């Protein structure tokens, strides 16, 4: 049925390759099932497995189970050893805890004895401890080791006490030096207190002068030269405080003017946002002018509001121009997005028609 030799060979090789892949998958699945079955066998045999169980012992008990025979020996040993290792670690941890508790009780026994000190020897002490249960709970080879550890702890306590006494003597020797240092410190503290008082007075002077500026200077275009005489007429003398020099007052004045200007700018920007809305910007005059492309048109809308007059004249148009550019940029961006969305919808519609046409063509071909 296949006249071409190359076609027969190609079909044969494809079959062999496909069958080999299927066999690999079947082998992997069988291996996985065998592993899961052996794990299940280990769970069922858990009562017969402890930290001393080996492979041969387990095999004699469960070697006839099909789940045992379904897995290679190497894999069986690996899985069994993993299970035994966990039990072995748990047993070792438990044994360590028991040894630690016994060691703690043994040292408590030595402490209660009362007459054991850093000069005591194990050979002379052990006979008096034999009848205590805490003595018997510790292995023979560990008893002297724990005794020596306890003696080392006593020595450490004594050394700590000696160091403490030494420190105490050193502190007493330094007491006179500390008293002298205390007198010097007191003098420094008095100087610091005087510095703090000066700082507080200056802070109060700054606050008073700032209050005077708030009360007196309302115009963000006011100059220091023109305002200084007006400030000096303050009946409370806040512009003649000895804790503020002329440069300090000028600096505070300029900061106040800056704050007034920033407040006017913020108010003017709020006015632009309130008055020049999308609807207002869309209204054109007979000459085609709008509030976004003509300052004179925008000015007629803004003038009635007090915030317009508070803004310095030379800054009004520049702020309006930045606001208008921002609005025009946003309008263009929104328009571009709308066009892009429309294009995407149109493209998807055309694609859907083509897909339906192709599907119908395929069905027609299949019927033929």
């Amino acid at each position: 049925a296949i006249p071409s030799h190359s076609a027969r060979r190609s079909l044969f090789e494809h079959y062999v390759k496909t069958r080999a892949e299927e066999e690999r998958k079947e082998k992997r699945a069988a291996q996985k099932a065998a592993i899961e079955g052996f794990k299940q066998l280990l769970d069922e045999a858990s009562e017969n497995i402890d930290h001393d169980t080996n492979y041969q012992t387990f095999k004699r008990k469960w070697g006839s189970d099909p789940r045992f025979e379904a897995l290679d020996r190497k894999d069986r040993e690996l899985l069994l050893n993993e299970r035994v290792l966990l039990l072995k670690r748990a047993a070792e941890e438990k044994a360590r805890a028991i040894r630690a508790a016994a060691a703690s009780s043994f040292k408590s026994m030595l402490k209660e004895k009362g007459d054991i000190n850093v000069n005591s020897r194990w050979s002379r002490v052990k006979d008096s401890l034999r009848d205590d249960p805490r003595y018997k709970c510790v292995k023979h080879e560990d008893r002297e080791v724990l005794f020596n550890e306890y003696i080392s702890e006593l020595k450490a306590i004594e050394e700590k006490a000696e160091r403490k006494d030494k420190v105490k003597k050193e502190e007493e020797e330094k007491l006179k030096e500390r008293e002298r240092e205390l007198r010097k410190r007191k003098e420094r503290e008095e100087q610091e207190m005087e510095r703090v008082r000066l700082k507080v007075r200056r802070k109060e002077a700054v606050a008073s002068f700032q209050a005077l500026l708030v009360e007196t200077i309302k115009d963000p275009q006011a100059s220091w030269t023109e305002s200084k005489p007006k400030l000096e007429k303050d009946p409370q003398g806040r512009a003649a405080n000895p804790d503020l020099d002329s440069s300090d007052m000028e600096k505070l004045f300029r900061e106040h003017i800056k704050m007034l200007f920033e407040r006017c700018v913020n108010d003017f920007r709020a006015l632009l946002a309130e008055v020049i809305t999308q609807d207002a910007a869309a209204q054109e005059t007979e000459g085609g002018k709008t509030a976004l492309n003509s300052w004179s048109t925008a000015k007629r809308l803004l003038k009635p509001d007090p915030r317009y007059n508070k803004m310095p004249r030379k800054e009004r148009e520049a702020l309006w121009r930045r606001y208008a550019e921002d609005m025009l940029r946003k309008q263009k961006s929104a328009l571009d997005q709308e066009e892009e969305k429309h294009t995407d919808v149109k493209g998807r519609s055309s694609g859907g028609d083509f897909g339906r046409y192709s599907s119908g063509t395929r069905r027609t071909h299949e019927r033929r």
Side-chain angles (χ1 to χ4, degrees):
I2 308 296
S4 170
H5 172 75
S6 60
R8 289 196 297 269
R9 181 183 182 88
S10 176
L11 288 169
F12 172 78
E13 290 176 349
H14 178 266
Y15 171 78
V16 171
K17 183 178 179 181
T18 303
R19 184 59 193 148
E21 180 63 26
E22 291 174 353
E23 288 176 353
R24 281 194 294 271
K25 290 181 179 179
E26 291 169 0
K27 187 176 180 181
R28 285 196 295 269
Q31 178 70 5
K32 184 177 180 181
I35 290 173
E36 293 301 323
F38 190 76
K39 287 181 178 180
Q40 185 181 10
L41 174 61
L42 291 174
D43 292 338
E44 294 175 5
S46 58
E47 294 182 358
N48 302 117
I49 301 174
D50 59 24
H51 61 281
D52 291 325
T53 302
N54 58 37
Y55 177 77
Q56 294 300 331
T57 304
F58 184 79
K59 181 179 179 181
R60 283 194 294 271
K61 178 76 175 175
W62 301 93
S64 60
D65 193 293
R67 293 169 293 182
F68 182 92
E69 297 175 347
L71 200 62
D72 293 339
R73 170 168 179 162
K74 182 180 178 181
D75 294 328
R76 290 197 297 262
E77 283 194 83
L78 179 62
L79 292 172
L80 177 63
N81 289 338
E82 286 178 356
R83 187 68 59 96
V84 171
L85 181 60
L86 292 175
L87 296 173
K88 187 175 292 185
R89 287 176 180 171
E92 290 173 353
E93 185 64 29
K94 183 177 180 181
R96 280 195 295 270
I98 291 172
R99 286 197 298 272
S104 178
S105 298
F106 188 84
K107 290 182 179 179
S108 297
M109 174 191 67
L110 296 175
K111 185 176 182 180
E112 292 171 7
K113 191 74 170 59
D115 56 353
I116 298 176
N117 55 47
V118 294
N119 298 315
S120 299
R121 295 292 177 267
W122 174 244
S123 58
R124 299 177 182 178
V125 171
K126 61 182 180 180
D127 291 337
S128 63
L129 304 172
R130 292 183 187 279
D131 296 332
D132 195 303
R134 293 170 290 183
Y135 177 90
K136 297 176 182 178
C137 286
V138 176
K139 293 181 179 180
H140 172 75
E141 62 270 17
D142 294 336
R143 291 168 187 160
E144 187 173 359
V145 174
L146 292 172
F147 174 81
N148 291 334
E149 286 182 3
Y150 178 73
I151 295 301
S152 298
E153 291 170 4
L154 290 179
K155 288 180 180 178
I157 293 172
E158 284 192 1
E159 290 172 357
K160 184 177 180 180
E162 289 174 0
R163 287 195 299 270
K164 189 175 181 181
D165 290 340
K166 184 179 179 181
V167 169
K168 185 177 179 181
K169 289 179 181 179
E170 291 175 352
E171 288 296 328
E172 290 174 352
E173 291 173 358
K174 294 177 181 178
L175 182 58
K176 292 182 180 180
E177 180 64 26
R178 289 179 179 177
E179 290 176 351
R180 286 194 295 270
E181 182 63 29
L182 184 61
R183 287 194 295 270
K184 292 180 181 178
R185 188 184 303 168
K186 187 176 180 180
E187 292 174 0
R188 290 195 296 269
E189 287 176 353
E190 290 176 353
Q191 294 172 358
E192 179 65 17
M193 288 176 66
E194 180 61 25
R195 189 186 68 81
V196 170
R197 282 195 292 270
L198 291 174
K199 186 176 179 180
V200 169
R201 288 206 303 269
R202 175 176 171 78
K203 187 176 181 180
E204 292 174 349
V206 168
S208 297
F209 189 71
Q210 287 175 333
L212 174 62
L213 291 171
V214 171
E215 297 169 8
T216 309
I217 308 300
K218 310 288 187 182
D219 184 3
Q221 300 185 81
S223 69
W224 170 242
T225 306
E226 295 174 351
S227 303
K228 186 177 179 182
K230 188 189 301 184
L231 296 170
E232 290 174 346
K233 293 178 182 179
D234 177 48
Q236 300 179 35
R238 289 174 286 182
N241 195 308
D243 293 311
L244 283 180
D245 56 30
S246 179
S247 61
D248 293 330
M249 289 188 285
E250 184 175 358
K251 181 181 178 182
L252 292 170
F253 171 83
R254 296 195 184 285
E255 290 175 355
H256 177 71
I257 291 298
K258 182 180 178 182
M259 180 193 68
L260 289 177
F261 180 77
E262 290 175 352
R263 189 182 299 165
C264 288
V265 168
N266 292 334
D267 290 345
F268 191 77
R269 284 174 176 162
L271 172 61
L272 289 170
E274 293 171 13
V275 174
I276 305 179
T277 61
Q278 294 287 353
D279 293 339
Q283 297 178 6
E284 295 184 1
T285 62
E286 293 180 358
K289 295 180 179 181
T290 70
L292 293 181
N293 61 22
S294 168
W295 168 235
S296 58
T297 303
K299 188 162 53 173
R300 284 195 296 272
L301 299 174
L302 300 171
K303 262 188 176 182
D305 195 288
R307 290 171 289 184
Y308 174 86
N309 293 321
K310 288 182 180 179
M311 188 67 212
R313 184 188 303 273
K314 60 183 180 180
E315 302 291 341
R316 295 170 187 163
E317 185 175 355
L319 287 171
W320 163 81
R321 195 169 300 282
R322 284 197 291 271
Y323 177 79
E325 289 172 355
D326 188 50
M327 279 198 70
L328 290 170
R329 189 164 47 251
K330 290 179 180 178
Q331 288 177 353
K332 185 178 183 303
S333 176
L335 184 60
D336 292 344
Q337 289 178 2
E338 185 65 28
E339 289 179 355
E340 184 179 349
K341 183 178 178 182
H342 179 71
T343 303
D344 289 345
V345 171
K346 186 175 179 181
R348 283 196 298 269
S349 176
S350 300
D353 292 343
F354 177 77
R356 289 193 296 273
Y357 172 78
S358 299
S359 176
T361 303
R362 283 198 300 270
R363 287 195 294 270
T364 303
H365 179 72
E366 289 169 358
R367 284 197 298 271
R368 289 177 181 175

